[in-house]
């Protein structure tokens, strides 16, 4: 979602009680928006824009039909009223849940919205008057931003976009020289949203003349964050076009993402904190206020990391097995199917390697160091200053989200890169050490999302180390193992627990491959078995079972399996595991196939191990 529209917060206090919207306040806003005076209508819309960030406000507004009333003002005779009405619903689309956008679409906000945008067809050009502000252009910016937000959350809105051929109006507006960065960037963001998995839009944008226009934007390197954000969004549009061959343009595509990451975020934040231009904003009622320049840079860097992560993904996708097929498969097929799955996984892993063109572009730009910089914690003193600033509160949240994206991007890069990449860009073992220190600093925080992102990156690194058969994993100590166990035990996040399970099992698998069945190997095995025996989450149990199958797949591990009573314990747990699957099947959702697969493989694993005795 784009950042909220500017609000007129000075009138809010008169319309709210204790900072919260009330039914009477909402009624007053409705009356103002329906007033005969243009000033009153504009004022009502501006107050509406200010209060939608309050948790209690949107429900009250929806009940009072505020969306339809505000939408009717999109075509008001006064441009200021139009802009204010569009800004108000744009803010509502930002602060509301996804279903709010669906409600807005259901209440026919698209009819007047697209009517407004259609007025800018037929070679419209912005006003060249002497005034600083061009309200007509501002109206269009608000309209396009609102449309982008609706399309991001509603498939119905995307359908309208295609049906009404809005693309034909928006494409010419990408010309920065004619329309300026504000409008061109809004259009680029909208096109980035609607071009994803949209055959109609991607077909048009894939035409040679339009592709040439988009690629020319990538080379339009100018100073300033506006240029950075505009080029990053355009890169996103290009990556959404499956029929376009990007291999000859990887250098300029990667350059666009690097230019965003190279801009100093801490420098931008310090400038905002030191500046006096935001003093009035600090008094704003809006609890999610940000500095525009900082917000744009955060958006550009976040999107750049997302685009880099997407570049690292294989064209082929993992296909989920049909649930019914798993239900119908017999337990006797388990050993064969498990073997086939391992081979398929290995083949898919190898297919994830970067193309030579992309590999070269990444190495030339030292992309790994850029991602690590984005993933690193900010300076503590800067964070303290942000905590004391009204604007800084939202910036702190977005900084955390940016680091999470960087760590997820790092995981994708690690999974997609071969040994030669890391021999030139940095050691995987050093990367593991860096991430281990990072997760230690995050362990005692309450930020579960950050811990999840770090453990995702660690899981990717350690699995790549296993594939490359590097021996450094066997250097783990007992205290390291204790740390990971406590990290999982203290977390309520399923995905963190699963990541830890996979990290530990990978270490045990490497030890098995090197026939180092040490005390540490045995401890990891016992931990995995305890998870299977005691955890109430079937998905986590299934992951732990799969991990045990991997750890003990070689016959030379049978001595340890005997010491810990692995087969006997699994056999005794089997009936309960099956019963839980039956009772919880409807709750498993998309995880049903994976859990059923674990059940099948459990039978096969026990049968095989017993046959070897």
């Amino acid at each position: 979602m784009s950042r909220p529209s500017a609000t007129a917060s000075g009138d809010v206090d008169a319309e709210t009680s204790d900072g919260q919207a009330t039914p009477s306040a909402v009624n007053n806003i409705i009356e103002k928006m329906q007033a005969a005076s243009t000033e009153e209508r504009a004022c009502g819309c501006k107050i509406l824009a200010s209060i939608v960030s309050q948790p209690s406000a949107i429900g009250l507004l929806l009940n009072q039909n505020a969306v339809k009333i505000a939408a009717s003002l999109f075509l008001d005779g006064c441009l200021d009223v139009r802009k204010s009405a569009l800004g108000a619903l744009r803010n509502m689309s930002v602060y509301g849940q996804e279903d709010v956008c669906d409600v807005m679409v259901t209440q026919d906000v698209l009819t007047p919205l697209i009517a407004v945008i259609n007025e800018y067809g037929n070679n419209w050009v912005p006003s060249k008057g002497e005034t600083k502000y061009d309200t007509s252009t501002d109206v269009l910016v608000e309209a396009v931003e609102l449309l982008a937000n609706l399309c991001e959350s509603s498939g119905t809105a995307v359908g309208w976009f295609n049906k009404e051929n809005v693309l034909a109006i928006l494409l010419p507006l990408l010309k920065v020289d004619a329309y300026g960065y504000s409008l061109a960037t809004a259009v680029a963001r909208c096109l980035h949203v609607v071009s994803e998995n949209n055959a109609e839009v991607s077909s048009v944008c894939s035409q040679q003349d339009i592709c040439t226009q988009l690629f020319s934007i990538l080379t339009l390197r100018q100073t300033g964050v506006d240029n950075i954000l505009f080029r990053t969004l355009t890169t996103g549009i290009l990556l959404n076009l499956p029929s376009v061959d990007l291999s000859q343009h990887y250098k300029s595509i990667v350059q666009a993402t690097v230019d965003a990451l190279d801009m100093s975020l801490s420098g931008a934040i310090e400038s905002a904190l030191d500046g006096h231009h935001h003093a009035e904003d600090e008094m704003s009622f809006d609890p999610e206020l940000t500095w525009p320049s900082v917000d744009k840079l955060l958006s550009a860097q976040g999107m750049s990391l997302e685009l880099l992560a997407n570049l690292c993904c294989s064209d082929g996708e993992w296909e989920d097995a049909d649930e019914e097929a798993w239900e119908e498969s017999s337990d006797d097929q388990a050993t064969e199917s498990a073997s086939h799955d391992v081979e398929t996984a290995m083949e898919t892993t190898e297919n994830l390697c970067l193309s030579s063109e992309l590999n070269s572009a990444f190495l030339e730009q030292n992309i790994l160091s850029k991602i690590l910089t984005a993933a690193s914690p900010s300076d503590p003193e800067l964070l303290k200053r942000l905590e004391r600033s009204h604007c800084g509160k939202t910036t702190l949240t977005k900084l955390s989200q940016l680091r999470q994206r960087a760590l997820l991007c790092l995981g994708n890069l690690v999974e997609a890169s071969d040994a030669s990449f890391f021999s030139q860009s940095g050691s995987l073992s050093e990367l593991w050490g860096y991430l281990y220190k990072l997760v230690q600093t995050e362990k005692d925080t309450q930020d579960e999302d950050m811990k999840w992102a770090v453990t995702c990156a660690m899981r990717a690194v350690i699995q790549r180390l296993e594939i490359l058969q590097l021996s450094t994993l066997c250097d783990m100590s007992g205290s390291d193992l204790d740390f990971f166990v406590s990290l999982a035990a203290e977390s309520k996040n399923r995905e963190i627990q699963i990541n830890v399970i996979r990290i530990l099992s990978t270490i045990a698998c490497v030890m098995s491959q090197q026939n180092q069945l040490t005390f540490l190997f045995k401890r990891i095995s016992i931990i995995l078995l305890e998870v299977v025996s005691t955890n109430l989450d079937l998905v986590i149990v299934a992951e732990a079972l799969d991990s045990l199958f991997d750890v003990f797949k070689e016959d030379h591990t049978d001595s340890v399996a005997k010491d810990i009573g692995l087969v006997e314990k699994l056999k005794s747990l089997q009936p309960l595991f099956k019963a839980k699957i039956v009772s919880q099947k409807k709750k498993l959702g998309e995880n049903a196939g994976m859990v059923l697969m674990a059940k099948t493989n459990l039978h096969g694993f026990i049968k095989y191990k017993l046959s070897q005795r």
Side-chain angles (χ1 to χ4, degrees):
M1 289 288 183
S2 61
R3 69 187 300 272
S5 175
T7 61
S9 59
D11 299 311
V12 174
D13 290 339
E15 301 293 336
T16 60
S17 174
D18 298 325
Q20 293 297 316
T22 63
S24 60
V26 169
N27 287 333
N28 288 337
I29 293 170
I30 299 296
E31 289 179 8
K32 286 180 180 293
M33 289 195 297
Q34 295 178 315
S37 163
T38 56
E39 290 81 4
E40 283 285 289
R41 295 198 300 277
C43 179
C45 291
K46 289 173 183 176
I47 299 173
L48 173 63
S50 295
I51 71 167
V52 291
S53 62
Q54 301 171 27
S56 61
I58 292 182
L60 290 171
L61 292 165
L62 292 177
N63 289 335
Q64 293 296 320
N65 216 22
V67 170
K68 278 194 173 183
I69 294 169
S72 68
L73 300 178
F74 291 177
L75 298 170
D76 194 276
C78 173
L79 289 178
D80 191 41
V81 172
R82 290 190 180 196
K83 177 185 172 184
S84 300
L86 286 160
L89 293 193
R90 173 185 167 189
N91 281 11
M92 184 178 287
S93 70
V94 171
Y95 292 119
Q97 302 296 325
E98 278 193 15
D99 60 336
V100 170
C101 286
D102 288 329
V103 170
M104 293 169 73
V105 170
T106 301
Q107 295 187 3
D108 200 25
V109 72
L110 287 169
T111 297
L113 178 58
I114 291 176
V116 169
I117 295 174
N118 280 334
E119 291 185 356
Y120 292 82
N122 301 318
N123 301 313
W124 169 83
V125 292
S127 171
K128 297 293 183 180
E130 297 180 0
T131 58
K132 182 179 179 181
Y133 299 103
D134 176 10
T135 307
S136 179
T137 300
D138 292 341
V139 167
L140 182 55
V141 169
E142 294 287 355
V144 173
E145 289 283 9
L146 173 56
L147 181 60
N149 289 353
L150 294 174
C151 288
E152 193 169 19
S153 299
S154 168
T156 302
V158 175
W160 271 66
F161 184 96
N162 292 344
K163 179 183 176 183
E164 299 295 330
N165 196 23
V166 180
L167 183 63
I169 296 175
L170 297 189
L171 278 172
L173 305 178
L174 289 171
K175 299 173 183 177
V176 172
D177 291 344
Y179 299 102
Y181 276 113
S182 179
L183 179 55
T185 300
V187 169
R189 195 184 82 81
C190 187
L191 296 186
H192 178 237
V193 169
V194 299
S195 60
E196 184 176 5
N197 300 321
N198 187 335
E200 292 186 44
V201 170
S202 63
S203 175
V204 174
C205 291
S206 298
Q207 295 173 7
Q208 186 174 355
D209 58 333
I210 296 175
C211 273
T212 300
Q213 178 188 4
L214 294 174
F215 282 121
S216 69
I217 292 173
L218 298 193
T219 60
L220 184 70
R221 299 181 69 187
Q222 299 175 352
T223 58
V225 69
D226 288 317
N227 174 264
I228 291 292
L229 180 57
F230 181 52
R231 288 169 57 221
T232 305
L233 287 163
T234 304
T235 303
I237 298 171
L238 286 164
L239 292 181
N240 282 342
L241 309 180
S243 63
V244 176
D245 181 11
L246 301 177
S247 59
Q248 302 302 312
H249 302 276
Y250 279 144
K251 189 172 182 178
S252 57
I253 286 172
V254 174
Q255 184 67 64
T257 63
V258 167
D259 285 347
L261 296 177
D262 277 344
M263 286 197 74
S264 174
L265 185 54
S266 60
I269 294 173
E270 287 174 355
S271 296
L273 285 165
D274 293 338
H276 299 291
H277 61 278
H278 65 278
E280 293 181 4
D281 290 341
E282 292 283 4
M283 301 303 293
S284 172
F285 178 81
D286 189 347
E288 304 228 2
L289 188 68
T290 60
W291 300 289
S293 60
V294 173
D295 203 44
K296 289 176 184 177
L297 184 52
L298 281 164
S299 296
Q301 292 192 347
M303 181 169 292
S304 293
L305 291 165
E306 184 178 330
L307 297 178
L308 287 171
N310 291 341
L311 281 169
C312 294
C313 291
S314 170
D315 291 335
E317 296 181 354
W318 292 84
E319 295 184 3
D320 293 328
D322 183 80
E323 181 178 327
E324 292 184 5
W326 291 124
E327 289 178 324
E328 294 171 0
S329 66
S330 68
D331 289 339
D332 290 335
Q333 297 172 325
T335 303
E336 180 181 349
S337 66
S339 174
H340 177 266
D341 288 333
V342 171
E343 292 175 3
T344 303
M346 291 298 293
E347 290 172 2
T348 306
T349 301
E350 291 308 311
N351 289 336
L352 284 173
C353 289
L354 299 174
S355 67
S356 58
E357 297 90 350
L358 198 53
N359 189 80
S360 298
F362 280 176
L363 287 172
E364 183 180 335
Q365 293 291 349
N366 196 10
I367 206 71
L368 180 60
S369 69
K370 314 286 186 186
I371 297 172
L372 288 175
T373 298
S376 300
S378 301
D379 176 66
E381 288 302 316
L382 184 63
L383 296 178
K384 289 179 181 178
R385 292 185 66 189
L386 285 172
E387 288 173 356
R388 295 192 295 266
S389 167
H390 188 128
C391 291
K393 291 178 174 60
T394 302
T395 301
L396 281 169
T397 300
K398 293 187 176 183
L399 278 173
S400 178
Q401 293 170 345
L402 182 70
R403 291 182 60 207
Q404 292 166 35
R405 283 195 177 186
L407 289 162
L408 297 176
C409 178
L410 175 62
N412 279 23
L413 177 64
V414 168
E415 290 175 350
S417 303
D418 57 20
S420 64
F421 178 86
F422 291 103
S423 66
Q424 298 178 66
S425 63
S427 164
L428 265 177
S429 299
E430 291 176 358
L431 185 55
W432 169 260
Y434 167 81
L435 292 172
Y436 184 52
K437 291 180 180 177
L438 186 59
V439 78
Q440 285 178 309
T441 64
E442 297 292 340
K443 180 177 178 291
D444 295 328
T445 70
Q446 300 301 312
D447 194 341
E448 292 283 284
D449 290 337
M450 181 63 71
K451 284 184 276 191
W452 168 72
V454 179
T455 54
C456 282
M458 296 184 79
R459 176 177 173 177
V461 170
I462 206 163
Q463 290 179 336
R464 178 55 76 179
L465 282 168
E466 179 193 19
I467 291 171
L468 298 179
Q469 297 183 339
L470 299 180
S471 61
T472 52
L473 295 186
C474 297
D475 296 337
M476 175 175 275
S477 66
S479 61
D480 295 331
L481 179 57
D482 291 338
F483 170 80
F484 280 111
V485 171
S486 64
L487 176 65
E490 294 169 10
S491 174
K492 297 179 181 179
N493 185 306
R494 170 196 284 173
E495 298 303 322
I496 293 175
Q497 296 179 54
I498 289 174
N499 284 340
V500 171
I501 287 170
R502 287 302 182 181
I503 288 168
L504 296 182
S505 65
T506 302
I507 294 170
C509 286
V510 172
M511 298 178 79
S512 172
Q513 292 164 12
Q514 299 177 3
N515 203 16
Q516 296 187 29
L517 306 184
T518 63
F519 176 70
L520 192 64
F521 175 88
K522 185 175 181 180
R523 277 198 64 195
I524 293 174
S525 304
I526 292 172
I527 289 166
L528 294 175
L529 188 54
E530 286 178 351
V531 172
V532 171
S533 304
T534 62
N535 203 292
L536 301 178
D537 188 325
L538 281 180
V539 176
I540 293 175
V541 171
E543 291 283 355
L545 280 171
D546 287 340
S547 295
L548 282 171
F549 303 152
D550 291 339
V551 170
F552 287 96
K553 66 183 177 182
E554 302 296 340
D555 291 343
H556 68 263
T557 61
D558 287 351
S559 60
V560 178
K562 183 178 180 181
D563 286 346
I564 66 174
L566 177 65
V567 177
E568 289 72 17
K569 290 178 181 178
L570 290 179
K571 189 175 181 180
S572 67
L573 290 168
Q574 192 175 15
L576 180 60
F577 184 53
K578 289 182 177 180
K580 285 183 177 179
I581 292 175
V582 173
S583 64
Q584 299 182 32
K585 180 182 174 183
K586 292 183 179 180
K587 297 179 181 179
L588 291 174
E590 62 183 12
N591 295 306
M594 183 266 290
V595 173
L596 290 166
M597 178 68 171
K599 181 197 75 169
T600 302
N601 284 348
L602 175 59
H603 175 84
F605 180 82
I606 293 172
K607 182 177 179 181
Y608 174 77
K609 288 298 182 181
L610 288 175
S611 70
Q612 299 301 304
R613 292 184 176 180

